[in-house]
Amino acid sequence: MLTKWGIAAGLVVAGITIVGQPTFSPPPNAPTFDFPLPTPGQPTGGPIIVPQPPTGEVRPTRPPGVPVVLPRSVNIQLKLERDGSVSVVEQVIVQAKSTMTRTAPLRVGDRVFTVSDPKVDGNGTASVTGDQLVIKLGEGASTVSYKLDGAIADLGDRLQFRWQVASGWDTKLVFLRASLLTPKPGYDFVCLAGAPNTEERCDSAVTDAAGILRVLHSDLDTGARVDVTATLDAGLVPATAKFDSGVAGTGPFALTPLSGGGLGLVLLLLIGGFAVVLTARGRDTRALAAEGAPVDVLVGQGERVVFASPDGILPGQAGTVIDERVDPRDLTATVIDLAVRNYLWITEAGPDWQIVRRNAPDDALTAYERAVYDALLPEGTDAVTVSALRSTPPRVAGAQSAVYADAVSRSWLSRRPGGLGKVGIIGAAVAVVGAAVTVALALSGGPALLGVAVVIGGIGLLLGARLLPARTKRGGLLLQQVRGLHGYLRAARPDRVPVADREMVFSRSLPYAVALDETKQWLERNAQTMSAGLYWYAAQEPRFDPRRFADRFPALVDELDAVFGKR
């Protein structure tokens, strides 16, 4: 049998031709593939595994004394040192005009290996990156050397050597041979070749008279491994194997110092963001619970008195700042305010009311006021009845959006309530980018947990944005002023205002009373002072009746609320 194997091995080694390969001229010091095998009758230092030849094809032998250089071939020498480390030398032949890269995992299951002092004598580089040994070689012959730790495991009554002498090559290996030298001969050798977790045996694994294990294999597929194990006597060398069951295996989603640091940083940022959210919500809760200080909205101008709202806030904005919503009542208050400011005129028409265009919108109006104006009186329409508006309600979604946009632009709200806002949009974008980075790193074998950390950070921003109150710190201060305005409406006395200014002060205050749901109380206390009538509202009677106006006006407010509440 040994004679047959010697013939077969010689045929395999010598018969693999380089016909069809690019011209390849090895350097003078290129390794040869002379491989001593046991001969019949020669004693061996251990059991012999005699394989079948790789193919049944008979190939011509090489002339005596002529070495054969096979591109994409590897010759590996392993020496177990007395301290339990392994000295490794890999001689690699790279085909002309080509490259070869090995990305060897240093974690196999929960087994952890360590490679130190990687060097290349030739055309290439070797380095340890994370949990991988990366060898990159150019054309020609190169020798790679490194120190391996973690190959010896303690099994109690014996030791076990294990190392994947070949793994992670980005090209098919035409021929591989390896030798393992130990201080004392080993036994129970196992050599597996092929894809990870497969049980296919190597072409040959034999021990010679000196107890050296010699492995030979041909045609190793791209990415496949040659996994060698050997049993040694207990106490022969120190056990060096390391196991880390706390790490979820290997691969791009393994927890490494780099990915762990990224996850830790994101955790700190999330804790900080949570503190910011709690602070903002606490501030907003206090603003809602606090009583508004009285605000004097009557401003003297010489002997005259005028009405001035706090921070110039308009009636439609006041209600939005209080409840963070654009209600139909806010739009109704805007219509009354437009009439008070001479853009519209309201006249009674029997049980109905008519809204008439008085002045066209100009630059003094905000975007949301113009939107309300155009919703009631589109271009070409000079008048409309409230009953007509109820039967065909105007579209007010644009006006509502404009109110929110206006409040955000004035920094009273950070976003439209229920919307994402700038922080939420950034968070969503970060999460999408993180997902893309995760996929890219996973496909390339990189630390994909870093991408997961980015995704978590983006989702944290997104959720934090939704938990933040829409009302800003400035909006909270304005809320207190609006409550002070509400207090003025409840306590205002007509005798504080000169007779000549009462109509104007009453009219300018009324839209705010509408917005803050103080209409009836305000009319009861102040309508009687308007006996001369109102410049923006026409009643049916020849003589203006303040009491009748106080009865009719709330009905107008309710009708307009119904108009804006339908859309």
Side-chain angles (χ1 to χ4, degrees):
M1 179 63 76
L2 291 174
T3 301
K4 292 181 180 180
W5 162 241
I7 294 172
L11 290 175
V12 171
V13 173
I16 300 178
T17 67
I18 54 175
V19 175
Q21 303 285 358
T23 301
F24 183 82
S25 300
N29 63 345
T32 67
F33 285 83
D34 290 332
F35 190 70
L37 293 171
T39 58
Q42 180 184 13
T44 64
I48 300 176
I49 303 172
V50 181
Q52 295 295 320
T55 66
E57 180 182 356
V58 178
R59 300 178 181 176
T61 60
R62 62 186 172 96
V66 178
V68 177
V69 178
L70 300 176
R72 293 183 285 132
S73 297
V74 182
N75 181 21
I76 306 162
Q77 298 173 352
L78 302 103
K79 180 182 178 183
L80 178 60
E81 306 290 352
R82 289 290 184 179
D83 62 358
S85 64
V86 181
S87 298
V88 184
V89 177
E90 299 186 14
Q91 296 172 317
V92 186
I93 304 297
V94 182
Q95 184 173 322
K97 299 182 181 180
S98 299
T99 62
M100 290 176 62
T101 299
R102 181 186 181 192
T103 305
L106 298 181
R107 287 182 180 270
V108 180
D110 60 353
R111 183 82 171 264
V112 180
F113 298 91
T114 303
V115 167
S116 59
D117 198 23
K119 297 178 182 178
V120 174
D121 182 9
N123 182 15
T125 61
S127 62
V128 176
T129 304
D131 292 331
Q132 296 173 330
L133 169 63
V134 180
I135 301 172
K136 298 181 179 180
L137 303 175
E139 62 178 306
S142 298
T143 299
V144 182
S145 61
Y146 53 89
K147 186 74 73 174
L148 172 67
D149 283 300
I152 305 299
D154 186 354
L155 301 185
D157 59 346
R158 64 195 186 280
L159 300 175
Q160 185 187 68
F161 167 90
R162 183 186 182 188
W163 175 239
Q164 293 184 351
V165 297
S167 60
W169 284 106
D170 66 347
T171 185
K172 184 175 183 178
L173 297 185
V174 173
F175 198 77
L176 175 145
R177 67 179 183 177
S179 63
L180 171 62
L181 175 63
T182 58
K184 281 187 177 183
Y187 52 95
D188 291 342
F189 299 113
V190 178
C191 181
L192 302 178
N197 301 320
T198 59
E199 298 295 325
E200 182 180 351
R201 296 293 182 116
C202 300
D203 290 345
S204 172
V206 298
T207 55
D208 60 18
I212 298 175
L213 171 66
R214 298 187 183 276
V215 173
L216 185 146
H217 192 81
S218 60
D219 296 330
L220 185 68
D221 289 336
T222 300
R225 95 305 190 200
V226 173
D227 197 335
V228 175
T229 60
T231 302
L232 306 172
D233 291 338
L236 179 64
V237 295
T240 59
K242 297 179 181 179
F243 300 87
D244 190 354
S245 58
V247 178
T250 60
F253 291 97
L255 184 61
T256 64
L258 179 61
S259 59
L263 289 170
L265 177 60
V266 169
L267 178 61
L268 290 177
L269 292 176
L270 289 177
I271 293 174
F274 183 69
V276 171
V277 170
L278 284 181
T279 300
R281 291 181 69 88
R283 181 201 66 223
D284 194 61
T285 299
R286 290 190 296 272
L288 286 171
E291 292 291 336
V295 174
D296 192 358
V297 296
L298 300 180
V299 179
Q301 292 184 351
E303 296 181 356
R304 306 299 300 270
V305 172
V306 297
F307 176 89
S309 63
D311 203 14
I313 191 170
L314 296 169
Q317 297 166 335
T320 303
V321 168
I322 287 179
D323 57 15
E324 300 180 352
R325 275 198 322 270
V326 180
D327 298 319
R329 178 59 58 87
D330 300 326
L331 302 181
T332 297
T334 299
V335 173
I336 304 303
D337 190 52
L338 290 173
V340 169
R341 290 158 56 195
N342 282 320
Y343 289 98
L344 301 174
W345 188 54
I346 300 175
T347 178
E348 295 180 1
D352 202 354
W353 291 266
Q354 189 177 46
I355 300 176
V356 181
R357 182 190 300 265
R358 174 172 276 184
N359 288 299
D362 54 26
D363 293 340
L365 295 184
T366 64
Y368 87 85
E369 289 177 311
R370 183 183 294 270
V372 172
Y373 188 104
D374 291 340
L376 293 177
L377 299 173
E379 187 174 353
T381 303
D382 291 327
V384 64
T385 61
V386 174
S387 59
L389 292 174
R390 287 206 62 174
S391 62
T392 308
R395 298 185 179 274
V396 296
Q400 292 174 324
S401 296
V403 176
Y404 288 126
D406 184 81
V408 171
S409 69
R410 297 172 187 269
S411 299
W412 295 334
L413 299 179
S414 62
R415 69 180 190 281
R416 176 172 179 159
L420 294 179
K422 292 181 180 179
V423 175
I425 292 173
I426 292 173
V430 169
V432 171
V433 171
V437 170
T438 300
V439 173
L441 290 176
L443 293 176
S444 64
L449 279 182
L450 285 179
V452 174
V454 175
V455 172
I456 293 173
I459 293 175
L461 273 178
L462 183 61
L463 294 178
R466 296 301 301 270
L467 292 174
L468 279 172
R471 193 170 20 248
T472 63
K473 183 177 181 179
R474 181 178 177 181
L477 295 175
L478 182 62
L479 173 62
Q480 299 304 306
Q481 293 177 315
V482 171
R483 286 184 168 172
L485 170 61
H486 199 175
Y488 156 77
L489 294 174
R490 289 177 175 175
R493 296 170 50 190
D495 55 10
R496 289 188 54 195
V497 181
V499 174
D501 299 324
R502 287 179 183 174
E503 180 185 8
M504 182 60 68
V505 170
F506 171 84
S507 297
R508 292 301 304 272
S509 303
L510 185 56
Y512 293 91
V514 172
L516 300 177
D517 201 22
E518 196 68 27
T519 306
K520 292 183 178 180
Q521 295 84 344
W522 177 254
L523 291 172
E524 289 175 358
R525 289 190 299 270
N526 297 276
Q528 68 274 12
T529 62
M530 301 296 106
S531 57
L534 298 170
Y535 62 91
W536 54 271
Y537 184 95
Q540 289 182 308
E541 295 78 11
R543 182 179 179 83
F544 184 79
D545 183 354
R547 187 178 299 277
R548 184 177 178 280
F549 173 77
D551 291 337
R552 286 274 288 162
F553 186 78
L556 170 63
V557 170
D558 291 341
E559 289 293 315
L560 290 174
D561 284 349
V563 168
F564 293 123
K566 287 188 176 182
R567 290 249 179 141

